[in-house]
mmCIF file of all heavy atoms in Angstrom:
data_model
loop_
_atom_site.group_PDB
_atom_site.id
_atom_site.type_symbol
_atom_site.label_atom_id
_atom_site.label_comp_id
_atom_site.label_asym_id
_atom_site.label_seq_id
_atom_site.Cartn_x
_atom_site.Cartn_y
_atom_site.Cartn_z
ATOM 1 N N ALA A 1 -5.691 -8.909 -2.160
ATOM 2 C CA ALA A 1 -4.567 -9.833 -2.316
ATOM 3 C C ALA A 1 -4.120 -10.349 -0.958
ATOM 4 O O ALA A 1 -4.191 -9.651 0.051
ATOM 5 C CB ALA A 1 -3.408 -9.114 -3.006
ATOM 6 N N ARG A 2 -3.673 -11.604 -0.911
ATOM 7 C CA ARG A 2 -3.194 -12.198 0.329
ATOM 8 C C ARG A 2 -1.709 -11.912 0.495
ATOM 9 O O ARG A 2 -0.978 -11.774 -0.477
ATOM 10 C CB ARG A 2 -3.424 -13.702 0.294
ATOM 11 C CG ARG A 2 -4.897 -14.112 0.268
ATOM 12 C CD ARG A 2 -5.021 -15.618 0.223
ATOM 13 N NE ARG A 2 -6.422 -16.026 0.211
ATOM 14 C CZ ARG A 2 -6.809 -17.282 0.126
ATOM 15 N NH1 ARG A 2 -5.901 -18.257 0.053
ATOM 16 N NH2 ARG A 2 -8.094 -17.575 0.110
ATOM 17 N N PRO A 3 -1.229 -11.841 1.759
ATOM 18 C CA PRO A 3 0.206 -11.642 1.987
ATOM 19 C C PRO A 3 1.004 -12.776 1.355
ATOM 20 O O PRO A 3 0.576 -13.926 1.340
ATOM 21 C CB PRO A 3 0.313 -11.670 3.521
ATOM 22 C CG PRO A 3 -1.061 -11.304 4.002
ATOM 23 C CD PRO A 3 -2.004 -11.895 2.997
ATOM 24 N N LEU A 4 2.146 -12.453 0.823
ATOM 25 C CA LEU A 4 2.984 -13.469 0.196
ATOM 26 C C LEU A 4 3.786 -14.217 1.249
ATOM 27 O O LEU A 4 4.221 -13.642 2.242
ATOM 28 C CB LEU A 4 3.950 -12.799 -0.793
ATOM 29 C CG LEU A 4 3.317 -12.031 -1.952
ATOM 30 C CD1 LEU A 4 4.400 -11.408 -2.792
ATOM 31 C CD2 LEU A 4 2.449 -12.946 -2.796
ATOM 32 N N ASP A 5 3.988 -15.525 1.040
ATOM 33 C CA ASP A 5 4.839 -16.271 1.951
ATOM 34 C C ASP A 5 6.291 -15.876 1.697
ATOM 35 O O ASP A 5 6.634 -15.318 0.657
ATOM 36 C CB ASP A 5 4.649 -17.778 1.760
ATOM 37 C CG ASP A 5 4.954 -18.231 0.347
ATOM 38 O OD1 ASP A 5 6.143 -18.255 -0.012
ATOM 39 O OD2 ASP A 5 4.005 -18.532 -0.401
ATOM 40 N N GLN A 6 7.166 -16.152 2.659
ATOM 41 C CA GLN A 6 8.544 -15.677 2.590
ATOM 42 C C GLN A 6 9.297 -16.219 1.379
ATOM 43 O O GLN A 6 10.074 -15.507 0.751
ATOM 44 C CB GLN A 6 9.290 -16.062 3.874
ATOM 45 C CG GLN A 6 10.657 -15.402 4.024
ATOM 46 C CD GLN A 6 10.565 -13.900 4.068
ATOM 47 O OE1 GLN A 6 9.598 -13.352 4.604
ATOM 48 N NE2 GLN A 6 11.554 -13.218 3.508
ATOM 49 N N LYS A 7 9.053 -17.483 1.031
ATOM 50 C CA LYS A 7 9.745 -18.078 -0.111
ATOM 51 C C LYS A 7 9.378 -17.358 -1.400
ATOM 52 O O LYS A 7 10.238 -17.049 -2.230
ATOM 53 C CB LYS A 7 9.405 -19.565 -0.226
ATOM 54 C CG LYS A 7 10.159 -20.271 -1.344
ATOM 55 C CD LYS A 7 9.845 -21.766 -1.355
ATOM 56 C CE LYS A 7 10.623 -22.471 -2.468
ATOM 57 N NZ LYS A 7 10.331 -23.935 -2.504
ATOM 58 N N THR A 8 8.081 -17.080 -1.566
ATOM 59 C CA THR A 8 7.638 -16.357 -2.761
ATOM 60 C C THR A 8 8.228 -14.962 -2.780
ATOM 61 O O THR A 8 8.658 -14.458 -3.826
ATOM 62 C CB THR A 8 6.093 -16.266 -2.800
ATOM 63 O OG1 THR A 8 5.561 -17.587 -2.795
ATOM 64 C CG2 THR A 8 5.622 -15.534 -4.041
ATOM 65 N N LEU A 9 8.256 -14.321 -1.613
ATOM 66 C CA LEU A 9 8.793 -12.969 -1.501
ATOM 67 C C LEU A 9 10.243 -12.917 -1.936
ATOM 68 O O LEU A 9 10.665 -12.033 -2.684
ATOM 69 C CB LEU A 9 8.652 -12.494 -0.058
ATOM 70 C CG LEU A 9 9.041 -11.043 0.252
ATOM 71 C CD1 LEU A 9 8.167 -10.077 -0.513
ATOM 72 C CD2 LEU A 9 8.946 -10.792 1.751
ATOM 73 N N GLU A 10 11.033 -13.885 -1.488
ATOM 74 C CA GLU A 10 12.458 -13.908 -1.792
ATOM 75 C C GLU A 10 12.725 -14.149 -3.268
ATOM 76 O O GLU A 10 13.713 -13.673 -3.821
ATOM 77 C CB GLU A 10 13.146 -14.992 -0.948
ATOM 78 C CG GLU A 10 13.173 -14.668 0.538
ATOM 79 C CD GLU A 10 13.710 -15.810 1.372
ATOM 80 O OE1 GLU A 10 13.946 -16.899 0.783
ATOM 81 O OE2 GLU A 10 13.900 -15.628 2.587
ATOM 82 N N ASN A 11 11.843 -14.904 -3.926
ATOM 83 C CA ASN A 11 12.041 -15.232 -5.332
ATOM 84 C C ASN A 11 11.198 -14.357 -6.276
ATOM 85 O O ASN A 11 11.065 -14.666 -7.443
ATOM 86 C CB ASN A 11 11.688 -16.704 -5.571
ATOM 87 C CG ASN A 11 12.627 -17.643 -4.833
ATOM 88 O OD1 ASN A 11 13.825 -17.420 -4.817
ATOM 89 N ND2 ASN A 11 12.081 -18.660 -4.199
ATOM 90 N N MET A 12 10.661 -13.283 -5.733
ATOM 91 C CA MET A 12 9.755 -12.440 -6.501
ATOM 92 C C MET A 12 10.441 -11.831 -7.709
ATOM 93 O O MET A 12 11.460 -11.163 -7.613
ATOM 94 C CB MET A 12 9.223 -11.315 -5.602
ATOM 95 C CG MET A 12 8.269 -10.370 -6.284
ATOM 96 S SD MET A 12 7.663 -9.165 -5.074
ATOM 97 C CE MET A 12 6.920 -7.961 -6.158
ATOM 98 N N SER A 13 9.915 -12.087 -8.894
ATOM 99 C CA SER A 13 10.450 -11.521 -10.129
ATOM 100 C C SER A 13 9.317 -10.929 -10.953
ATOM 101 O O SER A 13 9.363 -10.898 -12.162
ATOM 102 C CB SER A 13 11.178 -12.598 -10.942
ATOM 103 O OG SER A 13 10.282 -13.649 -11.268
ATOM 104 N N ALA A 14 8.292 -10.481 -10.253
ATOM 105 C CA ALA A 14 7.116 -9.943 -10.922
ATOM 106 C C ALA A 14 6.836 -8.531 -10.450
ATOM 107 O O ALA A 14 7.297 -8.103 -9.398
ATOM 108 C CB ALA A 14 5.899 -10.826 -10.652
ATOM 109 N N THR A 15 6.060 -7.828 -11.255
ATOM 110 C CA THR A 15 5.544 -6.522 -10.856
ATOM 111 C C THR A 15 4.121 -6.705 -10.370
ATOM 112 O O THR A 15 3.313 -7.366 -11.028
ATOM 113 C CB THR A 15 5.557 -5.535 -12.046
ATOM 114 O OG1 THR A 15 6.913 -5.248 -12.413
ATOM 115 C CG2 THR A 15 4.850 -4.240 -11.695
ATOM 116 N N TYR A 16 3.819 -6.135 -9.215
ATOM 117 C CA TYR A 16 2.478 -6.220 -8.645
ATOM 118 C C TYR A 16 1.796 -4.861 -8.747
ATOM 119 O O TYR A 16 2.383 -3.837 -8.385
ATOM 120 C CB TYR A 16 2.547 -6.692 -7.193
ATOM 121 C CG TYR A 16 2.864 -8.164 -7.091
ATOM 122 C CD1 TYR A 16 4.169 -8.633 -7.250
ATOM 123 C CD2 TYR A 16 1.863 -9.097 -6.870
ATOM 124 C CE1 TYR A 16 4.465 -9.983 -7.184
ATOM 125 C CE2 TYR A 16 2.143 -10.455 -6.800
ATOM 126 C CZ TYR A 16 3.443 -10.888 -6.951
ATOM 127 O OH TYR A 16 3.729 -12.227 -6.900
ATOM 128 N N VAL A 17 0.565 -4.864 -9.236
ATOM 129 C CA VAL A 17 -0.178 -3.632 -9.466
ATOM 130 C C VAL A 17 -1.418 -3.598 -8.574
ATOM 131 O O VAL A 17 -2.179 -4.569 -8.519
ATOM 132 C CB VAL A 17 -0.597 -3.505 -10.947
ATOM 133 C CG1 VAL A 17 -1.430 -2.245 -11.172
ATOM 134 C CG2 VAL A 17 0.634 -3.509 -11.852
ATOM 135 N N TYR A 18 -1.605 -2.489 -7.894
ATOM 136 C CA TYR A 18 -2.737 -2.310 -6.995
ATOM 137 C C TYR A 18 -3.416 -0.978 -7.299
ATOM 138 O O TYR A 18 -2.750 -0.014 -7.673
ATOM 139 C CB TYR A 18 -2.277 -2.299 -5.534
ATOM 140 C CG TYR A 18 -1.526 -3.528 -5.088
ATOM 141 C CD1 TYR A 18 -0.152 -3.649 -5.321
ATOM 142 C CD2 TYR A 18 -2.177 -4.571 -4.434
ATOM 143 C CE1 TYR A 18 0.547 -4.778 -4.898
ATOM 144 C CE2 TYR A 18 -1.482 -5.699 -4.009
ATOM 145 C CZ TYR A 18 -0.118 -5.794 -4.250
ATOM 146 O OH TYR A 18 0.563 -6.900 -3.839
ATOM 147 N N PHE A 19 -4.726 -0.923 -7.116
ATOM 148 C CA PHE A 19 -5.428 0.349 -7.305
ATOM 149 C C PHE A 19 -6.600 0.433 -6.335
ATOM 150 O O PHE A 19 -7.081 -0.581 -5.816
ATOM 151 C CB PHE A 19 -5.900 0.514 -8.759
ATOM 152 C CG PHE A 19 -6.762 -0.598 -9.285
ATOM 153 C CD1 PHE A 19 -8.148 -0.549 -9.165
ATOM 154 C CD2 PHE A 19 -6.181 -1.700 -9.923
ATOM 155 C CE1 PHE A 19 -8.933 -1.570 -9.652
ATOM 156 C CE2 PHE A 19 -6.973 -2.731 -10.419
ATOM 157 C CZ PHE A 19 -8.351 -2.662 -10.286
ATOM 158 N N ALA A 20 -7.049 1.661 -6.061
ATOM 159 C CA ALA A 20 -8.124 1.878 -5.099
ATOM 160 C C ALA A 20 -8.861 3.167 -5.413
ATOM 161 O O ALA A 20 -8.279 4.122 -5.939
ATOM 162 C CB ALA A 20 -7.569 1.924 -3.673
ATOM 163 N N ASN A 21 -10.150 3.190 -5.073
ATOM 164 C CA ASN A 21 -10.980 4.376 -5.236
ATOM 165 C C ASN A 21 -10.898 5.199 -3.949
ATOM 166 O O ASN A 21 -11.064 4.665 -2.850
ATOM 167 C CB ASN A 21 -12.426 3.949 -5.501
ATOM 168 C CG ASN A 21 -13.320 5.095 -5.921
ATOM 169 O OD1 ASN A 21 -13.351 6.148 -5.295
ATOM 170 N ND2 ASN A 21 -14.070 4.896 -6.997
ATOM 171 N N VAL A 22 -10.631 6.505 -4.090
ATOM 172 C CA VAL A 22 -10.452 7.360 -2.912
ATOM 173 C C VAL A 22 -11.669 8.249 -2.640
ATOM 174 O O VAL A 22 -11.600 9.150 -1.803
ATOM 175 C CB VAL A 22 -9.192 8.245 -3.054
ATOM 176 C CG1 VAL A 22 -7.946 7.392 -3.157
ATOM 177 C CG2 VAL A 22 -9.322 9.179 -4.258
ATOM 178 N N SER A 23 -12.775 8.006 -3.331
ATOM 179 C CA SER A 23 -13.956 8.868 -3.199
ATOM 180 C C SER A 23 -14.412 9.009 -1.750
ATOM 181 O O SER A 23 -14.826 10.095 -1.321
ATOM 182 C CB SER A 23 -15.109 8.322 -4.046
ATOM 183 O OG SER A 23 -14.770 8.315 -5.413
ATOM 184 N N ASN A 24 -14.345 7.926 -0.981
ATOM 185 C CA ASN A 24 -14.834 7.941 0.402
ATOM 186 C C ASN A 24 -13.713 8.050 1.430
ATOM 187 O O ASN A 24 -13.942 7.824 2.625
ATOM 188 C CB ASN A 24 -15.667 6.681 0.672
ATOM 189 C CG ASN A 24 -16.906 6.614 -0.210
ATOM 190 O OD1 ASN A 24 -17.578 7.628 -0.433
ATOM 191 N ND2 ASN A 24 -17.204 5.424 -0.718
ATOM 192 N N LEU A 25 -12.523 8.391 0.981
ATOM 193 C CA LEU A 25 -11.389 8.482 1.898
ATOM 194 C C LEU A 25 -11.557 9.656 2.861
ATOM 195 O O LEU A 25 -11.883 10.769 2.447
ATOM 196 C CB LEU A 25 -10.090 8.666 1.105
ATOM 197 C CG LEU A 25 -8.802 8.759 1.938
ATOM 198 C CD1 LEU A 25 -8.421 7.385 2.466
ATOM 199 C CD2 LEU A 25 -7.664 9.340 1.104
ATOM 200 N N ASN A 26 -11.346 9.401 4.146
ATOM 201 C CA ASN A 26 -11.368 10.452 5.156
ATOM 202 C C ASN A 26 -9.961 11.048 5.249
ATOM 203 O O ASN A 26 -9.038 10.398 5.746
ATOM 204 C CB ASN A 26 -11.813 9.894 6.506
ATOM 205 C CG ASN A 26 -12.030 10.990 7.541
ATOM 206 O OD1 ASN A 26 -11.174 11.827 7.764
ATOM 207 N ND2 ASN A 26 -13.198 10.967 8.169
ATOM 208 N N ILE A 27 -9.808 12.261 4.773
ATOM 209 C CA ILE A 27 -8.489 12.891 4.703
ATOM 210 C C ILE A 27 -7.878 13.059 6.086
ATOM 211 O O ILE A 27 -6.714 12.702 6.320
ATOM 212 C CB ILE A 27 -8.568 14.254 3.990
ATOM 213 C CG1 ILE A 27 -9.026 14.071 2.540
ATOM 214 C CG2 ILE A 27 -7.208 14.955 4.037
ATOM 215 C CD1 ILE A 27 -9.277 15.372 1.809
ATOM 216 N N GLN A 28 -8.643 13.607 7.036
ATOM 217 C CA GLN A 28 -8.107 13.901 8.359
ATOM 218 C C GLN A 28 -7.693 12.642 9.109
ATOM 219 O O GLN A 28 -6.690 12.630 9.825
ATOM 220 C CB GLN A 28 -9.138 14.691 9.172
ATOM 221 C CG GLN A 28 -9.434 16.073 8.602
ATOM 222 C CD GLN A 28 -8.183 16.910 8.390
ATOM 223 O OE1 GLN A 28 -7.292 16.916 9.235
ATOM 224 N NE2 GLN A 28 -8.099 17.594 7.259
ATOM 225 N N GLU A 29 -8.463 11.565 8.957
ATOM 226 C CA GLU A 29 -8.136 10.325 9.649
ATOM 227 C C GLU A 29 -6.846 9.699 9.140
ATOM 228 O O GLU A 29 -6.170 8.965 9.874
ATOM 229 C CB GLU A 29 -9.285 9.321 9.490
ATOM 230 C CG GLU A 29 -10.493 9.614 10.355
ATOM 231 C CD GLU A 29 -11.546 8.531 10.248
ATOM 232 O OE1 GLU A 29 -11.302 7.533 9.515
ATOM 233 O OE2 GLU A 29 -12.614 8.662 10.870
ATOM 234 N N ASN A 30 -6.511 9.983 7.892
ATOM 235 C CA ASN A 30 -5.337 9.344 7.277
ATOM 236 C C ASN A 30 -4.127 10.269 7.132
ATOM 237 O O ASN A 30 -3.030 9.792 6.859
ATOM 238 C CB ASN A 30 -5.711 8.795 5.903
ATOM 239 C CG ASN A 30 -6.618 7.593 5.985
ATOM 240 O OD1 ASN A 30 -6.183 6.482 6.252
ATOM 241 N ND2 ASN A 30 -7.913 7.802 5.763
ATOM 242 N N MET A 31 -4.324 11.561 7.327
ATOM 243 C CA MET A 31 -3.223 12.504 7.146
ATOM 244 C C MET A 31 -2.059 12.203 8.086
ATOM 245 O O MET A 31 -0.892 12.408 7.735
ATOM 246 C CB MET A 31 -3.723 13.935 7.373
ATOM 247 C CG MET A 31 -2.703 15.011 7.072
ATOM 248 S SD MET A 31 -2.313 15.145 5.292
ATOM 249 C CE MET A 31 -3.730 16.123 4.735
ATOM 250 N N GLY A 32 -2.366 11.687 9.271
ATOM 251 C CA GLY A 32 -1.334 11.453 10.264
ATOM 252 C C GLY A 32 -0.299 10.408 9.891
ATOM 253 O O GLY A 32 0.814 10.421 10.416
ATOM 254 N N ILE A 33 -0.627 9.493 8.985
ATOM 255 C CA ILE A 33 0.339 8.438 8.640
ATOM 256 C C ILE A 33 1.355 8.927 7.602
ATOM 257 O O ILE A 33 2.359 8.268 7.358
ATOM 258 C CB ILE A 33 -0.356 7.164 8.106
ATOM 259 C CG1 ILE A 33 -0.874 7.367 6.673
ATOM 260 C CG2 ILE A 33 -1.470 6.732 9.030
ATOM 261 C CD1 ILE A 33 -1.265 6.083 6.005
ATOM 262 N N LEU A 34 1.094 10.093 7.004
ATOM 263 C CA LEU A 34 1.990 10.602 5.976
ATOM 264 C C LEU A 34 3.261 11.163 6.596
ATOM 265 O O LEU A 34 3.216 11.806 7.655
ATOM 266 C CB LEU A 34 1.322 11.707 5.152
ATOM 267 C CG LEU A 34 0.501 11.295 3.936
ATOM 268 C CD1 LEU A 34 -0.713 10.474 4.349
ATOM 269 C CD2 LEU A 34 0.068 12.522 3.127
ATOM 270 N N PRO A 35 4.414 10.954 5.963
ATOM 271 C CA PRO A 35 5.641 11.590 6.443
ATOM 272 C C PRO A 35 5.539 13.094 6.223
ATOM 273 O O PRO A 35 4.714 13.567 5.435
ATOM 274 C CB PRO A 35 6.733 10.953 5.559
ATOM 275 C CG PRO A 35 6.011 10.561 4.309
ATOM 276 C CD PRO A 35 4.636 10.146 4.758
ATOM 277 N N GLU A 36 6.354 13.855 6.915
ATOM 278 C CA GLU A 36 6.241 15.317 6.879
ATOM 279 C C GLU A 36 6.324 15.897 5.469
ATOM 280 O O GLU A 36 5.522 16.766 5.104
ATOM 281 C CB GLU A 36 7.338 15.944 7.748
ATOM 282 C CG GLU A 36 7.223 17.462 7.839
ATOM 283 C CD GLU A 36 8.267 18.061 8.768
ATOM 284 O OE1 GLU A 36 8.983 17.290 9.432
ATOM 285 O OE2 GLU A 36 8.367 19.294 8.829
ATOM 286 N N ASN A 37 7.275 15.396 4.652
ATOM 287 C CA ASN A 37 7.415 15.950 3.303
ATOM 288 C C ASN A 37 6.195 15.665 2.438
ATOM 289 O O ASN A 37 5.777 16.489 1.623
ATOM 290 C CB ASN A 37 8.691 15.440 2.626
ATOM 291 C CG ASN A 37 8.790 13.924 2.601
ATOM 292 O OD1 ASN A 37 7.947 13.218 3.151
ATOM 293 N ND2 ASN A 37 9.835 13.417 1.958
ATOM 294 N N ARG A 38 5.589 14.502 2.627
ATOM 295 C CA ARG A 38 4.393 14.156 1.855
ATOM 296 C C ARG A 38 3.181 14.937 2.384
ATOM 297 O O ARG A 38 2.327 15.362 1.613
ATOM 298 C CB ARG A 38 4.130 12.655 1.961
ATOM 299 C CG ARG A 38 3.011 12.149 1.067
ATOM 300 C CD ARG A 38 3.458 11.951 -0.356
ATOM 301 N NE ARG A 38 2.338 11.803 -1.247
ATOM 302 C CZ ARG A 38 2.445 11.526 -2.541
ATOM 303 N NH1 ARG A 38 3.636 11.351 -3.085
ATOM 304 N NH2 ARG A 38 1.377 11.422 -3.302
ATOM 305 N N ARG A 39 3.124 15.138 3.685
ATOM 306 C CA ARG A 39 2.019 15.877 4.301
ATOM 307 C C ARG A 39 2.039 17.331 3.853
ATOM 308 O O ARG A 39 0.997 17.922 3.560
ATOM 309 C CB ARG A 39 2.098 15.768 5.818
ATOM 310 C CG ARG A 39 0.879 16.314 6.547
ATOM 311 C CD ARG A 39 0.798 15.795 7.968
ATOM 312 N NE ARG A 39 1.995 16.057 8.739
ATOM 313 C CZ ARG A 39 2.822 15.124 9.196
ATOM 314 N NH1 ARG A 39 2.585 13.851 8.933
ATOM 315 N NH2 ARG A 39 3.879 15.439 9.898
#
């Protein structure tokens, strides 16, 4: 999906759904971005 322009963002009245496959996710490379409670 492309970033929304500001006008669309301000008038947003929709639900946006996103999904992704985590099979190839590198846990250690991404663990650092998690907040402490989530980590």
